[in-house]
Amino acid sequence: VEGWPSVFAKNLPDGGISMVIAYVDDLLFLGTKGLRDEIATLRKRIKMDDPAPLGKYLGCNHRTSLVEVGGEQVTTAEFDMVDYFGQACRTYVSESGLALQPAESPYAPDLPAGQLDKLLADGGRFAGKAASFLMKLLYGARMAGPWLTVAIMRLARQIHKWNAECDRRLHRLYCYIAGTMEQVLTGTLSTG
């Protein structure tokens, strides 16, 4: 597929389509009825496990369900990064030496001007690890936690001038995630 070098699409003789998305050692297949024949053809040349329904892909657990409601079929899709965010929090605690206490929002409360000025003037303890701490969260937000994106990006703007106030805001962000990581992105679609 033009512009997506790891995505391959093929029109099938029966009018259907098959698609393969390759990422390192993961292959994601989707398509119509002829897809199973396409997979069998690929398996003659590539050693791979038996196909399985979509579960964990790129760190995100995918779950779907289909129910009938009032004569309509309703599909629910869930994108779950709970394990991923848990691992990110454990890494942060291990590398920072700080404990995480649940917070009501990802944003650190305002401080009195004098206290804030001191933090802004002091070099940040996590300046060397800030990019790693933030990129981990940004990937999780991209996959299944869009509500975290603004808080992460506001901190990411400070990477080149990281200070103690950034440390405080980063810690608050991780505290919020630790207290809310059980949230998953869920959507539904009805045939109605």
Side-chain angles (χ1 to χ4, degrees):
V1 174
E2 189 176 337
W4 296 89
S6 63
V7 178
F8 304 88
K10 180 179 180 183
N11 292 318
L12 302 177
D14 65 2
I17 189 169
S18 69
M19 295 186 80
V20 178
I21 302 169
Y23 184 81
V24 186
D25 62 349
D26 284 331
L27 295 175
L28 181 64
F29 295 95
L30 58 141
T32 55
K33 290 180 185 180
L35 177 63
R36 293 213 180 269
D37 294 336
E38 293 297 310
I39 293 171
T41 301
L42 279 174
R43 292 186 80 183
K44 291 177 184 175
R45 305 186 106 191
I46 301 172
K47 182 181 176 186
M48 65 177 85
D49 295 337
D50 290 333
L54 182 61
K56 188 171 186 176
Y57 182 69
L58 302 180
C60 185
N61 292 301
H62 299 264
R63 289 183 287 278
T64 58
S65 63
L66 182 66
V67 296
E68 190 168 315
V69 177
E72 301 291 345
Q73 290 190 357
V74 178
T75 301
T76 299
E78 207 173 79
F79 304 90
D80 171 352
M81 295 291 281
V82 173
D83 296 338
Y84 181 89
F85 282 128
Q87 189 274 331
C89 286
R90 287 188 297 278
T91 299
Y92 174 80
V93 167
S94 171
E95 294 184 16
S96 72
L98 301 173
L100 297 175
Q101 301 297 324
E104 292 181 3
S105 87
Y107 305 103
D110 291 337
L111 295 174
Q115 194 175 359
L116 179 59
D117 290 343
K118 181 175 180 348
L119 290 174
L120 291 171
D122 291 343
R125 181 177 151 209
F126 303 130
K129 295 182 179 184
S132 175
F133 286 149
L134 290 171
M135 289 307 294
K136 184 90 171 168
L137 297 183
L138 190 56
Y139 178 72
R142 178 178 177 236
M143 294 299 286
W147 54 88
L148 299 169
T149 306
V150 170
I152 296 166
M153 293 307 295
R154 285 181 179 170
L155 274 171
R157 293 185 315 200
Q158 304 301 315
I159 289 291
H160 65 286
K161 53 184 176 183
W162 198 265
N163 56 49
E165 172 62 4
C166 297
D167 286 345
R168 183 179 80 92
R169 292 183 181 275
L170 178 70
H171 185 69
R172 174 63 179 235
L173 176 58
Y174 268 93
C175 284
Y176 174 76
I177 290 168
T180 60
M181 75 173 81
E182 296 297 322
Q183 294 181 19
V184 297
L185 184 61
T186 304
T188 59
L189 182 64
S190 169
T191 55

